[in-house]
Amino acid sequence: MVGQLLILLLSVLPKHALSRGAGWLAGRTIPVAWRGAVYRGYSRIFGAKPEEAEQPLEAYPSINAFFTRALKPGLRPLAPNAMVSPVDAAVGAYGVVQNDTLVQAKGRTYTLTSLLGDQALAQSFEGGTYTTLYLSPKDYHRIHVPLAGRITEATYIPGELWPVNSAAVMHVPDLFAVNERIVVLMDGARGGRMAIVPVGATMVGMTRLVFDDLHTNARRREVQRHVYNTPVVVEAGGPLGHFEFGSTVVLVCSPDCGVIEPLTLGVPVRMGQRIGALPSESQLA
């Protein structure tokens, strides 16, 4: 009931303006003397781990800088010869792409075509695997690359900014396909294709990429597609972008790019953890 009331309230509020306002507030400089107390207080409330931050807390000038902090080297080792989680998150969904359909929550589905905004592209993933990874306010907010390959294009798709928590997932139809998002496409180094889709949410100031200036919650609210004539070469675990608060990544893998292995709903994963298998040498022959 509380979740439904929250969704009803948000339906009449200006979510984009609220999110831009939250982003502005999170970017304000905090006096050095207050920073440690502010970030430790935030961490106690949400369960974040400030001791993992690469720099001393006083080095982060704003809440946004703390949200998007890098971690101390070595804290997220990469699983060898595997597809790895791009984020610290909880597993929200997992499955096989069948008849253009993905599961949003129990009893609720949406189409891959609506998520990617391209029917022909969606068809290229038929029979592949997918997972939805939810980042909460406690999580490390940077997004990394799941496997080695070449990023060929990225498309910003404007939309709503509903929350992406469990209440919203249960009550907002086609949530991930109606929210703001960026569709990043890459060709795997061993073949096949992957779509990495960071999805915006309420109070997420912006979702940004490291290799392009595309971002969510843009004032220019129209589809923006960037095709890279010289693809961006990336390695597993390399930087992809970040959320300026917390949100969701939908990962979709074509059958010839590898297989996302079965993931248990609600279980946390860490960036760099094995979540799937790459194509074997025999499959490449």
PDB file of all heavy atoms in Angstrom, residues 97-115:
ATOM      1  N   VAL A  97      16.057 -14.234 -23.154  1.00  0.00           N
ATOM      2  CA  VAL A  97      15.210 -13.394 -24.013  1.00  0.00           C
ATOM      3  C   VAL A  97      14.376 -14.317 -24.898  1.00  0.00           C
ATOM      4  O   VAL A  97      14.910 -15.011 -25.759  1.00  0.00           O
ATOM      5  CB  VAL A  97      16.061 -12.454 -24.884  1.00  0.00           C
ATOM      6  CG1 VAL A  97      15.146 -11.569 -25.733  1.00  0.00           C
ATOM      7  CG2 VAL A  97      16.986 -11.605 -24.025  1.00  0.00           C
ATOM      8  N   GLN A  98      13.072 -14.315 -24.685  1.00  0.00           N
ATOM      9  CA  GLN A  98      12.163 -15.165 -25.459  1.00  0.00           C
ATOM     10  C   GLN A  98      11.011 -14.325 -25.991  1.00  0.00           C
ATOM     11  O   GLN A  98      10.335 -13.640 -25.228  1.00  0.00           O
ATOM     12  CB  GLN A  98      11.616 -16.313 -24.601  1.00  0.00           C
ATOM     13  CG  GLN A  98      12.688 -17.291 -24.162  1.00  0.00           C
ATOM     14  CD  GLN A  98      12.112 -18.415 -23.310  1.00  0.00           C
ATOM     15  OE1 GLN A  98      11.246 -18.199 -22.457  1.00  0.00           O
ATOM     16  NE2 GLN A  98      12.594 -19.618 -23.533  1.00  0.00           N
ATOM     17  N   ASN A  99      10.821 -14.386 -27.303  1.00  0.00           N
ATOM     18  CA  ASN A  99       9.732 -13.640 -27.941  1.00  0.00           C
ATOM     19  C   ASN A  99       9.779 -12.158 -27.570  1.00  0.00           C
ATOM     20  O   ASN A  99       8.741 -11.548 -27.280  1.00  0.00           O
ATOM     21  CB  ASN A  99       8.376 -14.245 -27.561  1.00  0.00           C
ATOM     22  CG  ASN A  99       8.239 -15.683 -28.005  1.00  0.00           C
ATOM     23  OD1 ASN A  99       8.652 -16.039 -29.112  1.00  0.00           O
ATOM     24  ND2 ASN A  99       7.690 -16.516 -27.139  1.00  0.00           N
ATOM     25  N   ASP A 100      10.997 -11.602 -27.545  1.00  0.00           N
ATOM     26  CA  ASP A 100      11.182 -10.170 -27.305  1.00  0.00           C
ATOM     27  C   ASP A 100      10.770  -9.751 -25.895  1.00  0.00           C
ATOM     28  O   ASP A 100      10.505  -8.584 -25.637  1.00  0.00           O
ATOM     29  CB  ASP A 100      10.382  -9.366 -28.356  1.00  0.00           C
ATOM     30  CG  ASP A 100      10.748  -7.889 -28.387  1.00  0.00           C
ATOM     31  OD1 ASP A 100      11.932  -7.566 -28.162  1.00  0.00           O
ATOM     32  OD2 ASP A 100       9.845  -7.058 -28.617  1.00  0.00           O
ATOM     33  N   THR A 101      10.728 -10.692 -24.953  1.00  0.00           N
ATOM     34  CA  THR A 101      10.160 -10.411 -23.633  1.00  0.00           C
ATOM     35  C   THR A 101      11.192 -10.563 -22.527  1.00  0.00           C
ATOM     36  O   THR A 101      11.952 -11.524 -22.493  1.00  0.00           O
ATOM     37  CB  THR A 101       8.972 -11.357 -23.353  1.00  0.00           C
ATOM     38  OG1 THR A 101       7.982 -11.164 -24.362  1.00  0.00           O
ATOM     39  CG2 THR A 101       8.358 -11.073 -21.995  1.00  0.00           C
ATOM     40  N   LEU A 102      11.205  -9.587 -21.611  1.00  0.00           N
ATOM     41  CA  LEU A 102      12.019  -9.633 -20.403  1.00  0.00           C
ATOM     42  C   LEU A 102      11.089  -9.549 -19.199  1.00  0.00           C
ATOM     43  O   LEU A 102      10.016  -8.948 -19.265  1.00  0.00           O
ATOM     44  CB  LEU A 102      13.006  -8.458 -20.346  1.00  0.00           C
ATOM     45  CG  LEU A 102      13.933  -8.214 -21.537  1.00  0.00           C
ATOM     46  CD1 LEU A 102      14.867  -7.039 -21.219  1.00  0.00           C
ATOM     47  CD2 LEU A 102      14.716  -9.434 -21.909  1.00  0.00           C
ATOM     48  N   VAL A 103      11.513 -10.122 -18.095  1.00  0.00           N
ATOM     49  CA  VAL A 103      10.731 -10.054 -16.857  1.00  0.00           C
ATOM     50  C   VAL A 103      11.163  -8.828 -16.063  1.00  0.00           C
ATOM     51  O   VAL A 103      12.349  -8.618 -15.824  1.00  0.00           O
ATOM     52  CB  VAL A 103      10.914 -11.327 -16.018  1.00  0.00           C
ATOM     53  CG1 VAL A 103      10.227 -11.161 -14.658  1.00  0.00           C
ATOM     54  CG2 VAL A 103      10.360 -12.539 -16.747  1.00  0.00           C
ATOM     55  N   GLN A 104      10.192  -8.029 -15.672  1.00  0.00           N
ATOM     56  CA  GLN A 104      10.455  -6.874 -14.812  1.00  0.00           C
ATOM     57  C   GLN A 104      10.333  -7.273 -13.345  1.00  0.00           C
ATOM     58  O   GLN A 104      11.168  -6.914 -12.517  1.00  0.00           O
ATOM     59  CB  GLN A 104       9.464  -5.756 -15.129  1.00  0.00           C
ATOM     60  CG  GLN A 104       9.576  -4.534 -14.238  1.00  0.00           C
ATOM     61  CD  GLN A 104       8.683  -3.407 -14.714  1.00  0.00           C
ATOM     62  OE1 GLN A 104       8.770  -2.984 -15.865  1.00  0.00           O
ATOM     63  NE2 GLN A 104       7.808  -2.931 -13.836  1.00  0.00           N
ATOM     64  N   ALA A 105       9.272  -7.987 -13.028  1.00  0.00           N
ATOM     65  CA  ALA A 105       9.024  -8.512 -11.692  1.00  0.00           C
ATOM     66  C   ALA A 105       8.040  -9.660 -11.848  1.00  0.00           C
ATOM     67  O   ALA A 105       7.495  -9.883 -12.934  1.00  0.00           O
ATOM     68  CB  ALA A 105       8.441  -7.433 -10.774  1.00  0.00           C
ATOM     69  N   LYS A 106       7.809 -10.378 -10.775  1.00  0.00           N
ATOM     70  CA  LYS A 106       6.891 -11.508 -10.836  1.00  0.00           C
ATOM     71  C   LYS A 106       5.532 -11.061 -11.369  1.00  0.00           C
ATOM     72  O   LYS A 106       4.897 -10.162 -10.818  1.00  0.00           O
ATOM     73  CB  LYS A 106       6.728 -12.117  -9.443  1.00  0.00           C
ATOM     74  CG  LYS A 106       5.886 -13.380  -9.441  1.00  0.00           C
ATOM     75  CD  LYS A 106       5.829 -13.997  -8.052  1.00  0.00           C
ATOM     76  CE  LYS A 106       5.001 -15.284  -8.064  1.00  0.00           C
ATOM     77  NZ  LYS A 106       4.927 -15.899  -6.717  1.00  0.00           N
ATOM     78  N   GLY A 107       5.116 -11.662 -12.477  1.00  0.00           N
ATOM     79  CA  GLY A 107       3.823 -11.334 -13.065  1.00  0.00           C
ATOM     80  C   GLY A 107       3.818 -10.092 -13.927  1.00  0.00           C
ATOM     81  O   GLY A 107       2.771  -9.688 -14.426  1.00  0.00           O
ATOM     82  N   ARG A 108       4.975  -9.465 -14.123  1.00  0.00           N
ATOM     83  CA  ARG A 108       5.039  -8.236 -14.906  1.00  0.00           C
ATOM     84  C   ARG A 108       6.208  -8.326 -15.888  1.00  0.00           C
ATOM     85  O   ARG A 108       7.346  -8.577 -15.483  1.00  0.00           O
ATOM     86  CB  ARG A 108       5.192  -7.027 -13.996  1.00  0.00           C
ATOM     87  CG  ARG A 108       4.998  -5.695 -14.715  1.00  0.00           C
ATOM     88  CD  ARG A 108       5.114  -4.529 -13.750  1.00  0.00           C
ATOM     89  NE  ARG A 108       3.982  -4.401 -12.853  1.00  0.00           N
ATOM     90  CZ  ARG A 108       2.812  -3.873 -13.185  1.00  0.00           C
ATOM     91  NH1 ARG A 108       2.613  -3.449 -14.423  1.00  0.00           N
ATOM     92  NH2 ARG A 108       1.854  -3.767 -12.298  1.00  0.00           N
ATOM     93  N   THR A 109       5.949  -8.126 -17.175  1.00  0.00           N
ATOM     94  CA  THR A 109       6.981  -8.206 -18.206  1.00  0.00           C
ATOM     95  C   THR A 109       6.990  -6.928 -19.049  1.00  0.00           C
ATOM     96  O   THR A 109       6.094  -6.092 -18.950  1.00  0.00           O
ATOM     97  CB  THR A 109       6.747  -9.417 -19.129  1.00  0.00           C
ATOM     98  OG1 THR A 109       5.475  -9.269 -19.782  1.00  0.00           O
ATOM     99  CG2 THR A 109       6.769 -10.727 -18.352  1.00  0.00           C
ATOM    100  N   TYR A 110       8.017  -6.807 -19.892  1.00  0.00           N
ATOM    101  CA  TYR A 110       8.093  -5.708 -20.856  1.00  0.00           C
ATOM    102  C   TYR A 110       8.882  -6.218 -22.046  1.00  0.00           C
ATOM    103  O   TYR A 110       9.456  -7.330 -22.007  1.00  0.00           O
ATOM    104  CB  TYR A 110       8.718  -4.467 -20.236  1.00  0.00           C
ATOM    105  CG  TYR A 110      10.164  -4.607 -19.803  1.00  0.00           C
ATOM    106  CD1 TYR A 110      11.198  -3.999 -20.520  1.00  0.00           C
ATOM    107  CD2 TYR A 110      10.517  -5.323 -18.651  1.00  0.00           C
ATOM    108  CE1 TYR A 110      12.520  -4.100 -20.123  1.00  0.00           C
ATOM    109  CE2 TYR A 110      11.834  -5.426 -18.252  1.00  0.00           C
ATOM    110  CZ  TYR A 110      12.829  -4.820 -18.989  1.00  0.00           C
ATOM    111  OH  TYR A 110      14.131  -4.931 -18.593  1.00  0.00           O
ATOM    112  N   THR A 111       8.936  -5.452 -23.113  1.00  0.00           N
ATOM    113  CA  THR A 111       9.617  -5.934 -24.306  1.00  0.00           C
ATOM    114  C   THR A 111      11.021  -5.355 -24.421  1.00  0.00           C
ATOM    115  O   THR A 111      11.277  -4.215 -24.032  1.00  0.00           O
ATOM    116  CB  THR A 111       8.832  -5.596 -25.592  1.00  0.00           C
ATOM    117  OG1 THR A 111       8.850  -4.169 -25.787  1.00  0.00           O
ATOM    118  CG2 THR A 111       7.398  -6.100 -25.511  1.00  0.00           C
ATOM    119  N   LEU A 112      11.901  -6.168 -25.004  1.00  0.00           N
ATOM    120  CA  LEU A 112      13.257  -5.698 -25.265  1.00  0.00           C
ATOM    121  C   LEU A 112      13.236  -4.593 -26.314  1.00  0.00           C
ATOM    122  O   LEU A 112      14.029  -3.644 -26.242  1.00  0.00           O
ATOM    123  CB  LEU A 112      14.132  -6.861 -25.716  1.00  0.00           C
ATOM    124  CG  LEU A 112      15.605  -6.558 -25.980  1.00  0.00           C
ATOM    125  CD1 LEU A 112      16.263  -5.939 -24.754  1.00  0.00           C
ATOM    126  CD2 LEU A 112      16.343  -7.818 -26.413  1.00  0.00           C
ATOM    127  N   THR A 113      12.315  -4.685 -27.268  1.00  0.00           N
ATOM    128  CA  THR A 113      12.188  -3.639 -28.287  1.00  0.00           C
ATOM    129  C   THR A 113      11.930  -2.285 -27.641  1.00  0.00           C
ATOM    130  O   THR A 113      12.535  -1.273 -28.011  1.00  0.00           O
ATOM    131  CB  THR A 113      11.058  -3.968 -29.271  1.00  0.00           C
ATOM    132  OG1 THR A 113      11.426  -5.126 -30.038  1.00  0.00           O
ATOM    133  CG2 THR A 113      10.789  -2.818 -30.219  1.00  0.00           C
ATOM    134  N   SER A 114      11.034  -2.248 -26.654  1.00  0.00           N
ATOM    135  CA  SER A 114      10.718  -0.968 -26.001  1.00  0.00           C
ATOM    136  C   SER A 114      11.901  -0.466 -25.182  1.00  0.00           C
ATOM    137  O   SER A 114      12.127   0.740 -25.082  1.00  0.00           O
ATOM    138  CB  SER A 114       9.469  -1.102 -25.126  1.00  0.00           C
ATOM    139  OG  SER A 114       9.671  -2.054 -24.094  1.00  0.00           O
ATOM    140  N   LEU A 115      12.685  -1.369 -24.607  1.00  0.00           N
ATOM    141  CA  LEU A 115      13.852  -0.959 -23.828  1.00  0.00           C
ATOM    142  C   LEU A 115      14.925  -0.348 -24.728  1.00  0.00           C
ATOM    143  O   LEU A 115      15.475   0.709 -24.430  1.00  0.00           O
ATOM    144  CB  LEU A 115      14.443  -2.153 -23.076  1.00  0.00           C
ATOM    145  CG  LEU A 115      15.721  -1.870 -22.280  1.00  0.00           C
ATOM    146  CD1 LEU A 115      15.422  -1.021 -21.048  1.00  0.00           C
ATOM    147  CD2 LEU A 115      16.412  -3.176 -21.878  1.00  0.00           C
TER     148      LEU A 115
END
